[in-house]
Amino acid sequence: MLISRCHAQLQTSVTHSCRRFFTDMASEGGGGAGKSFARRDRLREIEAKVQKWWEDGQVFKSEPGDAPPKPGEKFFGNFPFPYMNGYLHLGHAFSLSKLEFAAAFHRLRGANVLLPFAFHCTGMPIKASADKLAREIQCFGDPPVFPQEEPEQEEAPEQQDDANEGGAPGKFKGKKSKAAAKTGTQVYQWEIMRSVGISDDEISKFQDPYKWLSYFPPLAVEDLKAFGLGCDWRRSFITTDMNPYFDSFVRWQVRKLKSMGKIVKDVRYTIFSPLDGQPCADHDRASGEGVQPQEYTVIKMELIAPFPSKFEVLEGKKVFLAAATLRPETMYGQTNAWVLPDGKYGAFEINETEVFVMAHRAALNLAYQNHSRVPEKPTCLLELTGHDLIGLPLRSPLSFNDTIYALPMLSILMDKGTGVVTSVPSDAPDDYMALHDLKSKPAFRAKFGVKDEWVMPFEIVPIIEVPEFGNKCAETVCLQMKIKSQNEKEKLAEAKKQTYLKGFTEGTMIVGEFAGKKVQEAKPLIRSKLLEIGQAIVYSEPEKRVMSRSGDECVVALTDQWYITYGESEWQKLAEECLSSMSLFSDETRHGFEHTLSWLNQWACSRSFGLGTRIPWDEQFLVESLSDSTIYMAYYTVVHYLQNGDMYGSSQSSIKPQQLTDDVWDYIFCDGPFPKSTDISSSLLEKMKKEFEYWYPFDLRVSGKDLIQNHLTFCIYNHTAIMSKHHWPRGFRCNGHIMLNNNKMSKSTGNFRTIRQAIEEFSADATRFSLADAGDGVDDANFVFETANAAILGLTKEIAWYEEILAAESSMRTGPPSTYADRVFANEINIAVKTTEQNYSNYMFREALKTGFYGLQTARDEYRFSCGVGGYNRELVWRFMDVQTRLLAPICPHYAEFIWRELLKKDGFVVKAGWPTADAPDLTLKSANEYLQESIGMMRKLLQKQLSGSKKASKKGAPVASVAENKVTGLVYVNEQFDGWKAECLNILQNKFNKDTRTFAPDSEILEALQHSSVGQSSNFKQTQKQCMPFLRFQKEQAIKLGAQALDLRLPFGEIEVLQENLDLIKRQINLEHVEILSAADADSLAKAGPLASLLNQNPPSPGKPTAIFLTQ
């Protein structure tokens, strides 16, 4: 049905208009190289003027209302404060734009909006960079003279899974961390500072970390103001003890958590930077964000005397090959140990009597876990290779074989585990195939000097009964999968997946002390026994490689420090309750939070190096950077009372930092009793409390999805601990990273823009336009320079059109809209208002741009074509200009404000003008117009074909140039109702359609009804059936999509009436002298076709598809 096609083609037509708009704009040039920058500069001049208007009018100053807000009356949105070790870039702008567009939309609709912004300076990166700069000056002078060849940083390779061990459950992660995205190839800090435009005379001052705090935040404010951010700048602040007010707030927060038992001192395994001498949290990392410690059991496989000659230096000590395993319950089935022949090993002193043979990296990790004779410094007594270890006789815990041997395995990774692997061929497919290869390939044994007695006598030892796989599950699965060699990596990975999962979840021990117990029960018992009798130790290492911002590889250390008890069962339940009531705008985001809550555990919240707030009860430590940024959104509501608009908190205020006791903070934020001992005026405290109560909870926090696994989840936890339930967060909107021109944003490749650079290159509004167009989901988005350049031209051309139209206003038709074209255009404006409001409400800003700008542009252009000699209707054009300006205001506010005040001469500010009102869209009228436009296109093609014999129509929109000298008359034949077999098919579908569920009866039932109908009983049914089936399929699809009206026998409008009303448009569009609209059911009308009547038989008209015949005189 035509109404179905109309709806289906709406989005397509908008998309095509977007492309056409871009193509047209790009062809005329924007801000590209070698082209005039006048248009861009015009926009920037407008932006400067408009920003002055806003500043003078205090447009974005946010004050609470007198009464508590009703739903929709206020909007409090915020954004994770950016780290201040450089300029803000387009990655920041992309996430921030989602908040800015949302806030601007709510402000436009009349809500009281609070959008504050602050700056994060806590943590080690600034201090590390300052210290690095100082070292460079010390080594190379001031200004430094560096060596000519500068080394380049190498990216950390992705680690693979160990061939013999199962991995820990994966975390919900973005494709890359924010920290990793910042890592470039420049090594020297001085060069980095110089590259962002800081002069050599100034750089040396950045040896003082507090210089960074005074330098970059004010520049960020400048850039965000130039961007047009609708921010209440009175509420800005920086973190760290440089700001005594925020310092007091953080001290209160951590004291409160400690008093609730949610901060405890504990000894735990933590990712640790040896160079920094402290734990390395996510924001302290250059790579490896989200990586956690992976815990193993190290099996002590004792070297049996006498020792080989190379090991003589170890005589008198107990020497063990240290094998890391995740499956201690399988140790009963050991047949050998595996080593990497070319791997580099060492014999390391663990204590006065024991030596472990293992990889150097593992020894370093153990040294930070109290397993080294010299704490934190592994002592290597002997350097070894894997070749030195092959053939060593070993006595291994729990093994039924008294002696086993170290054998070669080529798939061992030296940067995972200890480099020594236990071999249990009964349950590990890799072990089974590696042992099988050694046994069956004498040449392989000879290559590595493996003696037969080290291999041939050892058979599989059944230890676990696994349903379906028996008691030798590795062998069973390898035979089932027809794996022939240890080199079939993909098959072995699948075999491992099957055996490990089923063995752990369904397996039963059949040997040892815990025979008869399920593997899940026996595993921790066996592990505990091995640890208790001293035949194993606990070992932990990072799941993957982690590099600190100081440039060293991190280890796992056993540290005694302060932890926040995330993951505690009752607290986790509160966090899950909070999450369940939040708006998250995507299933992927919700799943990410749910997954994080399932694994997140105690979090080290103290640091000894960097900037920040001292832990009040243990001032040798600082609060780490992800722990002072969990409830600061509440601080926004009162900061202007405390800091008087000074982000550093250094201005004189009626409240002094020392007056902000815990009782005061409790009163403001936690509904505590009025602080009796305070000398702050009660009226001021009450005012602060009421302001907090007005704005809280916040409605939306916008962030990159990489913060789900830490900051955003911490935010939920801390709010549920400290705040009342009615103050818990209402919504998070997470997005992916942003690419530039389909490539990763990277300083090292030059594919990078700061916000400042983007504004200078494209203007603020063109940058915002391209950010809106970049994408709205959680996948990575794409900022396209061509789009920004096209926006420059499009916006300036639109300004010129407004000026031109307003100059010609007196020549327009007056009075209410009256023509068909008027009604269609008015309806398109109503549709744009409604659909754009829905898109903004759902925070789908690319869609809002399509419906609120491109869609209206297309409607305006079509109106211009349709008006003819009558011209525009003045009232309608004014409505278009008003609506278009408001709909685009959240995305391009400077442009919209300029048009509103300078061109349309309206009062007030467009950013607060209110959402335009609109009548309900008339979908029938929209369908009728789609029908009209399609019919004109069809007529154009038929005329071209009939007059010139060409099968190609002329360019869309251009009148057909007749090849004949005679004038042309068009006869348009219309059949307004389906008849014959089509009508019968539609009647059957109507009877088999459920309007409520939009579902049909089974196809067999529909086919049976067709066979019993008059069509099915006809003699030529087989031939007709070939036509019926595709028709039935199409109409079913349309009904499921649009509802029962798609099955009507007639269109919801009169086709003849629509065409008759637009005869003038048809004649102008196709260049016809005369047009007649005729009914195909009328014999007299058919006679007018004369000898061309055969064309009607070849192409009979049907509802939605008229047929045209052209006569020449």
Side-chain angles (χ1 to χ4, degrees):
M1 308 294 290
L2 182 95
I3 190 169
S4 311
R5 292 199 303 274
C6 294
H7 281 275
Q9 290 172 357
L10 172 60
Q11 189 61 45
T12 302
S13 66
V14 170
T15 302
H16 287 167
S17 67
C18 299
R19 292 174 182 161
R20 187 171 68 249
F21 177 84
F22 278 163
T23 303
D24 294 344
M25 295 304 102
S27 68
E28 298 189 33
K35 296 174 183 175
S36 170
F37 297 102
R39 290 181 179 274
R40 180 203 62 191
D41 294 344
R42 174 90 192 279
L43 290 180
R44 295 203 64 196
E45 289 169 5
I46 288 171
E47 288 163 2
K49 178 186 291 188
V50 169
Q51 287 161 17
K52 183 67 165 58
W53 293 344
W54 289 339
E55 187 174 348
D56 292 343
Q58 296 186 319
V59 172
F60 304 122
K61 180 179 178 181
S62 304
E63 298 290 358
D66 295 330
K70 296 176 182 177
E73 285 187 351
K74 71 90 180 172
F75 175 83
F76 175 18
N78 49 68
F79 173 82
F81 41 26
Y83 198 72
M84 284 290 97
N85 59 345
Y87 288 95
L88 299 180
H89 53 69
L90 278 182
H92 295 113
F94 176 62
S95 294
L96 180 58
S97 71
K98 305 302 181 187
L99 172 62
E100 161 69 355
F101 298 155
F105 167 65
H106 287 288
R107 186 183 296 112
L108 179 62
R109 293 180 77 191
N112 192 8
V113 171
L114 172 59
L115 193 167
F117 202 92
F119 305 98
H120 203 198
C121 306
T122 305
M124 62 164 287
I126 287 175
K127 182 70 166 65
S129 296
D131 290 352
K132 186 178 180 185
L133 190 63
R135 290 194 298 269
E136 290 171 6
I137 291 173
Q138 184 179 3
C139 293
F140 303 111
D142 184 3
V145 179
F146 296 117
Q148 289 186 347
E149 292 186 6
E150 296 181 3
E152 291 188 352
Q153 289 181 347
E154 295 182 2
E155 291 188 6
E158 285 292 319
Q159 297 200 11
Q160 306 170 43
D161 287 337
D162 188 300
N164 197 45
E165 300 295 356
K171 306 295 189 292
F172 180 86
K173 299 184 177 82
K175 292 184 180 178
K176 60 196 174 213
S177 71
K178 291 200 301 182
K182 296 174 183 175
T183 304
T185 59
Q186 292 170 306
V187 172
Y188 297 115
Q189 188 64 42
W190 189 285
E191 295 293 345
I192 294 173
M193 308 297 284
R194 183 185 285 163
S195 72
V196 299
I198 302 175
S199 68
D200 282 3
D201 292 340
E202 189 83 4
I203 292 175
S204 63
K205 298 176 184 177
F206 286 84
Q207 295 176 81
D208 176 2
Y210 289 96
K211 170 67 177 177
W212 300 65
L213 277 58
S214 63
Y215 185 84
F216 284 111
L219 294 177
V221 172
E222 286 181 18
D223 293 346
L224 293 173
K225 285 183 176 179
F227 184 68
L229 185 68
C231 177
D232 184 351
W233 291 108
R234 301 173 303 150
R235 301 173 189 260
S236 292
F237 60 89
I238 67 160
T239 65
T240 75
D241 53 7
M242 187 178 184
N243 179 353
Y245 293 96
F246 187 73
D247 187 64
S248 171
F249 174 80
V250 175
R251 284 171 173 264
W252 162 74
Q253 177 191 348
V254 295
R255 273 195 296 259
K256 193 164 188 69
L257 289 173
K258 185 172 184 290
S259 70
M260 300 167 75
K262 298 190 182 303
I263 293 183
V264 298
K265 200 162 192 182
D266 198 2
V267 177
R268 287 186 59 83
Y269 291 104
T270 305
I271 305 292
F272 190 90
S273 166
L275 182 60
D276 298 330
Q278 65 175 10
C280 187
D282 281 355
H283 281 191
D284 302 328
R285 301 175 188 177
S287 64
E289 188 169 341
V291 172
Q292 297 290 321
Q294 171 67 65
E295 190 170 282
Y296 294 86
T297 304
V298 164
I299 304 299
K300 296 164 67 172
M301 310 172 85
E302 186 174 3
L303 178 59
I304 299 174
F307 293 174
S309 59
K310 185 156 188 176
F311 289 73
E312 288 178 356
V313 68
L314 305 179
E315 290 289 352
K317 294 184 180 292
K318 288 188 175 181
V319 180
F320 302 91
L321 266 64
T325 181
L326 295 171
R327 303 195 65 192
E329 76 281 5
T330 65
M331 293 303 100
Y332 296 104
Q334 294 174 83
T335 57
N336 60 280
W338 299 116
V339 295
L340 181 68
D342 294 329
K344 293 182 180 180
Y345 296 83
F348 296 92
E349 280 189 293
I350 299 302
N351 50 45
E352 295 294 336
T353 60
E354 294 184 334
V355 172
F356 280 9
V357 176
M358 56 188 164
H360 289 70
R361 174 180 166 277
L364 182 62
N365 275 274
L366 276 177
Y368 280 86
Q369 297 166 28
N370 300 330
H371 291 296
S372 176
R373 192 175 67 81
V374 180
E376 301 183 359
K377 291 184 180 179
T379 306
C380 184
L381 301 177
L382 180 63
E383 295 283 353
L384 298 162
T385 69
H387 289 284
D388 299 323
L389 307 180
I390 293 173
L392 290 180
L394 306 169
R395 185 180 299 112
S396 191
L398 300 185
S399 174
F400 286 122
N401 293 297
D402 292 333
T403 302
I404 61 175
Y405 296 90
L407 300 176
M409 181 185 244
L410 304 183
S411 60
I412 291 174
L413 299 171
M414 296 302 290
D415 56 359
K416 189 167 183 133
T418 59
V420 180
V421 180
T422 59
S423 175
V424 185
S426 59
D427 289 79
D430 291 283
D431 296 346
Y432 172 78
M433 290 311 307
L435 188 62
H436 175 272
D437 284 355
L438 274 173
K439 283 189 171 188
S440 62
K441 298 177 181 178
F444 188 47
R445 297 198 298 273
K447 178 179 179 181
F448 294 103
V450 175
K451 297 179 180 179
D452 287 359
E453 57 265 32
W454 300 346
V455 180
M456 304 308 288
F458 294 90
E459 299 297 333
I460 294 175
V461 180
I463 57 173
I464 298 173
E465 182 71 29
V466 182
E468 299 180 27
F469 296 154
N471 58 22
K472 299 178 182 178
C473 65
E475 179 182 55
T476 300
V477 172
C478 286
L479 291 174
Q480 287 177 353
M481 297 182 66
K482 299 180 180 179
I483 300 173
K484 304 296 184 184
S485 162
Q486 63 181 311
N487 297 322
E488 296 182 62
K489 303 298 182 187
E490 291 185 7
K491 282 188 174 182
L492 280 171
E494 178 57 31
K496 174 178 167 181
K497 183 178 177 182
Q498 291 184 31
T499 55
Y500 278 31
L501 180 62
K502 201 169 184 67
F504 179 72
T505 56
E506 301 180 36
T508 303
M509 301 297 302
I510 59 174
V511 298
E513 180 180 346
F514 303 102
K517 286 187 177 293
K518 290 289 186 181
V519 169
Q520 293 183 70
E521 300 175 54
K523 178 175 181 173
L525 299 174
I526 294 170
R527 183 175 191 257
S528 296
K529 180 181 178 181
L530 287 170
L531 296 174
E532 183 181 337
I533 63 179
Q535 293 185 333
I537 64 170
V538 176
Y539 166 67
S540 194
E541 67 181 22
E543 295 169 318
K544 294 182 179 180
R545 190 181 187 195
V546 177
M547 298 298 295
S548 80
R549 287 180 183 263
S550 296
D552 75 312
E553 183 174 351
C554 292
V555 297
V556 168
L558 196 58
T559 60
D560 179 15
Q561 62 161 314
W562 296 102
Y563 292 88
I564 301 180
T565 59
Y566 299 134
E568 185 272 319
S569 59
E570 292 304 314
W571 198 7
Q572 182 177 335
K573 288 177 183 176
L574 289 177
E576 289 169 344
E577 181 185 348
C578 175
L579 182 70
S580 68
S581 65
M582 293 178 68
S583 298
L584 299 177
F585 305 99
S586 94
D587 290 339
E588 183 177 341
T589 298
R590 186 168 297 280
H591 295 157
F593 277 105
E594 291 168 349
H595 184 60
T596 300
L597 287 173
S598 74
W599 63 259
L600 183 63
N601 212 316
Q602 288 190 353
W603 181 267
C605 63
S606 57
R607 295 290 180 269
S608 56
F609 174 81
L611 304 177
T613 292
R614 294 282 166 188
I615 290 185
W617 61 89
D618 194 354
E619 296 215 355
Q620 64 175 313
F621 291 114
L622 295 153
V623 180
E624 65 91 28
S625 63
L626 281 165
S627 299
D628 78 341
S629 54
T630 56
I631 61 167
Y632 70 88
M633 313 87 196
Y635 186 72
Y636 280 130
T637 64
V638 299
V639 58
H640 54 305
Y641 293 107
L642 306 175
Q643 298 186 202
N644 278 344
D646 171 20
M647 73 170 72
Y648 299 99
S650 57
S651 295
Q652 290 298 316
S653 168
S654 59
I655 300 177
K656 308 304 179 192
Q658 55 270 26
Q659 293 176 287
L660 295 169
T661 62
D662 287 1
D663 288 346
V664 169
W665 292 119
D666 280 341
Y667 172 73
I668 296 170
F669 295 129
C670 300
D671 203 24
F674 187 86
K676 296 179 181 178
S677 60
T678 186
D679 53 359
I680 304 173
S681 74
S682 59
S683 61
L684 182 54
L685 275 180
E686 186 177 349
K687 197 172 182 181
M688 293 167 68
K689 179 181 176 66
K690 282 187 175 179
E691 176 132 5
F692 166 72
E693 294 284 349
Y694 179 86
W695 292 115
Y696 239 68
F698 64 78
D699 301 280
L700 180 70
R701 186 163 180 79
V702 173
S703 167
K705 65 182 178 183
D706 53 317
L707 296 187
I708 291 174
Q709 65 195 10
N710 43 58
H711 163 71
L712 294 175
T713 301
F714 296 175
C715 177
I716 291 175
Y717 263 112
N718 280 264
H719 274 84
T720 60
I722 294 174
M723 303 289 185
S724 301
K725 186 177 293 188
H726 63 281
H727 288 148
W728 289 0
R730 286 181 176 166
F732 290 149
R733 188 194 187 285
C734 297
N735 51 262
H737 300 280
I738 191 161
M739 298 185 291
L740 301 188
N741 299 320
N742 274 318
N743 292 304
K744 174 184 172 183
M745 193 162 75
S746 168
K747 290 180 182 177
S748 61
T749 63
N751 194 44
F752 182 86
R753 290 293 187 281
T754 64
I755 293 179
R756 178 168 295 203
Q757 289 169 333
I759 293 171
E760 290 172 349
E761 186 171 356
F762 304 116
S763 79
D765 276 357
T767 299
R768 293 167 65 112
F769 190 102
S770 195
L771 287 168
D773 185 73
D776 292 310
V778 291
D779 295 329
D780 287 356
N782 186 31
F783 182 97
V784 181
F785 289 7
E786 181 185 348
T787 302
N789 278 325
I792 294 171
L793 189 59
L795 295 176
T796 51
K797 286 187 72 174
E798 197 66 8
I799 290 172
W801 183 83
Y802 276 67
E803 292 170 337
E804 178 185 325
I805 286 295
L806 290 170
E809 182 181 1
S810 60
S811 64
M812 295 183 195
R813 284 185 289 119
T814 57
S818 56
T819 68
Y820 180 86
D822 289 348
R823 297 199 305 275
V824 168
F825 189 31
N827 189 50
E828 290 296 329
I829 293 173
N830 290 334
I831 290 171
V833 170
K834 297 296 186 181
T835 56
T836 305
E837 182 175 24
Q838 189 62 47
N839 288 328
Y840 274 127
S841 297
N842 294 334
Y843 303 143
M844 300 301 287
F845 304 113
R846 174 191 270 176
E847 297 305 311
L849 197 60
K850 285 182 180 179
T851 56
F853 182 67
Y854 295 125
L856 266 182
Q857 294 284 301
T858 300
R860 191 267 313 275
D861 293 344
E862 186 179 293
Y863 181 58
R864 186 170 55 203
F865 282 127
S866 301
C867 280
V869 294
Y872 295 145
N873 175 271
R874 180 184 179 280
E875 179 182 321
L876 197 53
V877 169
W878 266 92
R879 173 159 169 73
F880 164 79
M881 293 190 293
D882 178 289
V883 169
Q884 173 84 95
T885 304
R886 297 193 209 206
L887 299 193
L888 197 55
I891 294 172
C892 298
H894 307 91
Y895 157 87
E897 200 71 78
F898 175 79
I899 288 178
W900 187 259
R901 301 188 72 179
E902 292 276 299
L903 302 186
L904 302 184
K905 305 297 183 185
K906 289 181 177 281
D907 295 330
F909 296 92
V910 71
V911 295
K912 291 186 173 183
W915 191 257
T917 58
D919 294 334
D922 184 342
L923 296 182
T924 300
L925 178 57
K926 181 169 185 61
S927 299
N929 188 56
E930 293 284 350
Y931 165 83
L932 173 64
Q933 300 303 323
E934 286 182 18
S935 298
I936 291 174
M938 174 275 300
M939 295 176 204
R940 182 182 295 109
K941 289 179 181 179
L942 288 176
L943 177 60
Q944 183 96 355
K945 182 178 179 181
Q946 185 174 324
L947 295 183
S948 66
S950 169
K951 294 183 179 179
K952 294 182 179 180
S954 62
K955 186 177 179 181
K956 185 177 179 182
V960 175
S962 174
V963 296
E965 294 181 1
N966 296 329
K967 295 179 181 179
V968 179
T969 294
L971 304 180
V972 182
Y973 288 90
V974 177
N975 184 356
E976 293 192 299
Q977 182 167 319
F978 284 110
D979 50 21
W981 64 265
K982 289 184 178 179
E984 192 66 38
C985 285
L986 288 172
N987 287 327
I988 291 170
L989 290 178
Q990 288 171 2
N991 293 327
K992 302 298 181 182
F993 183 63
N994 185 318
K995 296 179 181 180
D996 297 328
T997 61
R998 290 193 182 185
T999 57
F1000 281 94
D1003 287 347
S1004 58
E1005 196 174 315
I1006 294 173
L1007 183 58
E1008 182 181 358
L1010 180 63
Q1011 290 170 342
H1012 288 87
S1013 69
S1014 59
V1015 174
Q1017 298 302 309
S1018 65
S1019 58
N1020 63 341
F1021 174 61
K1022 285 189 177 181
Q1023 183 177 354
T1024 308
Q1025 187 178 13
K1026 294 178 182 179
Q1027 298 172 295
C1028 289
M1029 300 317 293
F1031 180 76
L1032 285 168
R1033 280 196 300 271
F1034 177 77
Q1035 296 304 143
K1036 279 180 63 180
E1037 290 172 0
Q1038 295 305 303
I1040 291 170
K1041 187 176 181 181
L1042 297 167
Q1045 74 267 23
L1047 303 177
D1048 290 343
L1049 298 184
R1050 301 174 65 94
L1051 298 185
F1053 53 85
E1055 296 181 56
I1056 292 177
E1057 181 184 352
V1058 170
L1059 295 174
Q1060 196 72 44
E1061 192 172 358
N1062 287 280
L1063 286 177
D1064 178 65
L1065 175 63
I1066 295 170
K1067 288 191 288 186
R1068 283 189 291 106
Q1069 286 281 298
I1070 311 179
N1071 200 16
L1072 299 177
E1073 175 70 16
H1074 181 68
V1075 176
E1076 287 188 56
I1077 310 301
L1078 304 170
S1079 171
D1082 181 64
D1084 293 336
S1085 297
L1086 291 175
K1088 291 185 178 183
L1092 295 178
S1094 60
L1095 294 175
L1096 291 175
N1097 297 325
Q1098 297 172 17
N1099 186 24
S1102 62
K1105 292 183 178 180
T1107 297
I1109 293 174
F1110 301 98
L1111 307 173
T1112 57
Q1113 297 177 0

